[in-house]
Amino acid sequence: MRSVALRAEGLMGAELASHQLSFDAADDKARRAEAAADRARARFGVSAVRPAGFLRTGFLDVA
């Protein structure tokens, strides 16, 4: 395989999408964390939330 092409039509905003109900508390926790990350990115920019592995060494060292 050399390439993959995708096409999306008729997309809507996430606020209009349906939400699958779940009895799993971990699912609810993950959704709250994702929403908090989205709010932080909206307020501080796209690089405000990222994996900890991307932090520079010594960036948060406390002396």
Side-chain angles (χ1 to χ4, degrees), residues 11-17:
L11 299 177
M12 66 177 114
E15 64 278 356
L16 299 175

Side-chain angles (χ1 to χ4, degrees), residues 38-54:
D38 288 343
R39 288 190 305 273
R41 286 185 187 105
R43 183 172 179 183
F44 301 110
V46 294
S47 63
V49 178
R50 55 190 168 171
F54 290 158

